[in-house]
Amino acid sequence: MGWGEILLRGVVIGAGGTVLMDLWAVFLALAFGHPKANWAPVGRWFAHLSRGTVFHTDIGQAASFPQESALGWAGHYAVGIVYGIVLALVMGSAWLAAPTLLPALVWGIVTVAAGWFLLQPGLGLGVAASKLPNPNRVRLLNLAAHVAFGLGMWITALLIA
């Protein structure tokens, strides 16, 4: 399997993992009334990031940009795809030919660190949502979402193996 095919499979695996993560969020919304994902603040963060500002006291107070929600969704999928590419490159063609659960699941869980230590502080929520009134609940939901992401990457890898 050449580099091009490994990269392409990584793109598909990352997108598939992100789709399952989003389906998990839809399930939480339908079954438990959990608020639906709002990617507009993330889109605003990406827009400010492109201008050199990483951390905000409160992203809601930062200047808005057109199409923030669309940018947030695009950024969400772009990051998921990058994670899928990293998994494919690290694990290589042998794993892509016969994917096993553990590497995808562990990688999915590890990726929560970017949210906890970059995105959430960047949005003004503190490290691992520490400034929110219910940080442990948020952390648990973040972990569950990233478990779904890891499972989604594995299932997608199985489907395209």
Side-chain angles (χ1 to χ4, degrees), residues 62-116:
S64 64
F65 289 88
Q67 304 300 319
E68 289 175 338
S69 185
L71 180 57
W73 277 102
H76 169 58
Y77 272 83
V79 168
I81 287 168
V82 167
Y83 289 155
I85 291 169
V86 170
L87 177 65
L89 289 172
V90 168
M91 296 310 298
S93 58
W95 182 83
L96 291 167
T100 54
L101 173 61
L102 192 60
L105 187 60
V106 168
W107 179 236
I109 292 168
V110 166
T111 62
V112 80
W116 285 352

Side-chain angles (χ1 to χ4, degrees), residues 17-108:
T18 308
V19 166
L20 191 61
M21 177 189 260
D22 291 339
L23 289 174
W24 172 251
V26 169
F27 167 75
L28 290 177
L30 293 173
F32 302 105
H34 189 270
K36 293 181 182 177
N38 178 8
W39 290 102
V42 175
R44 184 176 294 185
W45 181 74
F46 276 120
H48 282 278
L49 187 63
S50 73
R51 290 167 169 78
T53 304
V54 179
F55 298 103
H56 298 267
T57 304
D58 178 357
I59 196 67
Q61 300 302 313
S64 64
F65 289 88
Q67 304 300 319
E68 289 175 338
S69 185
L71 180 57
W73 277 102
H76 169 58
Y77 272 83
V79 168
I81 287 168
V82 167
Y83 289 155
I85 291 169
V86 170
L87 177 65
L89 289 172
V90 168
M91 296 310 298
S93 58
W95 182 83
L96 291 167
T100 54
L101 173 61
L102 192 60
L105 187 60
V106 168
W107 179 236

Side-chain angles (χ1 to χ4, degrees), residues 126-140:
V127 171
S130 61
K131 292 183 179 180
L132 293 179
N134 51 358
N136 287 332
R137 181 175 187 270
V138 173
R139 293 170 190 149
L140 183 61

